[in-house]
Amino acid sequence: MIIIGEKINGTIKSVANAIKEKDKAIIQNLAVKQTEAGAHYIDVCAGTEVDIEIETLKWLIECVQEAVDTPICIDSPNPEAIKAVIPLVKKPGMINSVSEEGNKPDQVYPLVRDYGFNVICLTVDDRGIPTTVEPRLEVTRSLVKKANDYGIPQNRLYIDPLVSAVSTDNTSILCFLQTMRQIKQEFPEVKITSGLSNVSFGMPLRKLVNRYFFCLALYEGMDSAIMDPLDKDLQSALLATQVLLGQDRLCRKFSNAYRKGLIG
């Protein structure tokens, strides 16, 4: 399971305050803690006004790279912002994200190719997020084809089938899982990723709903998650599910995490 740590995001109040005050220690502490908790990538999202996004991303990237060697996931809906900051990233990381909105593939894929990055691919186009399986597959096929046209191998694509809130669509998880199965069948080399929190929007006990969604998606073969690696309940769900699926030989990862106090 490839964990993309989500804690350095300017839409989070404490991070927004750290950005405003240029409090490097808060950002670096989040980077260190997420790395120690097992994050494979540190997502960096400015979450600010467009006119200061690039400046903010540059500062955040500098803070993170001073503190850890963990690869960075540049998180922005603006390809121009990604283009401006990607030369500052010291090692190949990830771009979050590309979609079929506008001409984003032609803006983002050259960066993925030239800098050796992985990329999160959202199953959304100019019509919005599809509500059924087949349109999501159509977007996926288009994104995979265009990546191939740019010489980007499928194993560097992280497809996000975009789970919607179960409070407004009680078939959303079923649609997500069916889409994931089909993608894996058609493109066995691509990886599947997802944020976990959208599914529970509008629900009570949101963290509980997120955990059970996580377990279901893991059973179906989800390869990655954009998540809070400091959440012991999520980490416990991940490691326990891997034990039950026979993915943790002699339960070593589970036992080691327990001894270190990372789960429980």
Side-chain angles (χ1 to χ4, degrees), residues 117-232:
F117 272 48
N118 297 326
V119 60
I120 295 173
C121 305
L122 307 180
T123 55
V124 60
D125 59 17
D126 291 326
R127 298 169 294 181
I129 299 175
T131 57
T132 56
V133 173
E134 188 55 37
R136 297 185 195 199
L137 293 174
E138 290 174 3
V139 174
T140 298
R141 292 174 188 128
S142 178
L143 287 168
V144 172
K145 180 185 180 301
K146 289 178 181 179
N148 182 68
D149 291 342
Y150 278 100
I152 300 166
Q154 291 182 19
N155 62 8
R156 283 166 51 194
L157 306 180
Y158 286 64
I159 308 294
D160 184 347
L162 292 175
V163 67
S164 56
V166 74
S167 60
T168 58
D169 177 8
N170 66 353
T171 65
S172 66
I173 292 177
L174 299 177
C175 181
F176 176 93
L177 297 176
Q178 188 177 347
T179 304
M180 182 169 69
R181 290 187 209 110
Q182 286 289 107
I183 292 172
K184 283 184 159 291
Q185 187 172 17
E186 289 190 38
F187 306 107
E189 293 185 17
V190 306
K191 297 178 178 65
I192 302 293
T193 194
S194 178
L196 303 180
S197 59
N198 285 346
V199 70
S200 63
F201 186 78
M203 294 282 288
L205 299 175
R206 291 191 64 186
K207 289 187 176 183
L208 179 67
V209 177
N210 295 343
R211 287 199 300 275
Y212 281 102
F213 165 54
F214 194 22
C215 294
L216 288 170
L218 287 168
Y219 176 76
E220 293 289 348
M222 187 168 73
D223 306 282
S224 168
I226 304 163
M227 59 178 275
D228 177 5
L230 307 181
D231 185 328
K232 285 189 175 183

Side-chain angles (χ1 to χ4, degrees), residues 77-92:
N78 181 4
E80 290 301 319
I82 297 170
K83 183 178 180 181
V85 303
I86 198 169
L88 304 177
V89 181
K90 294 178 180 179
K91 64 169 67 173

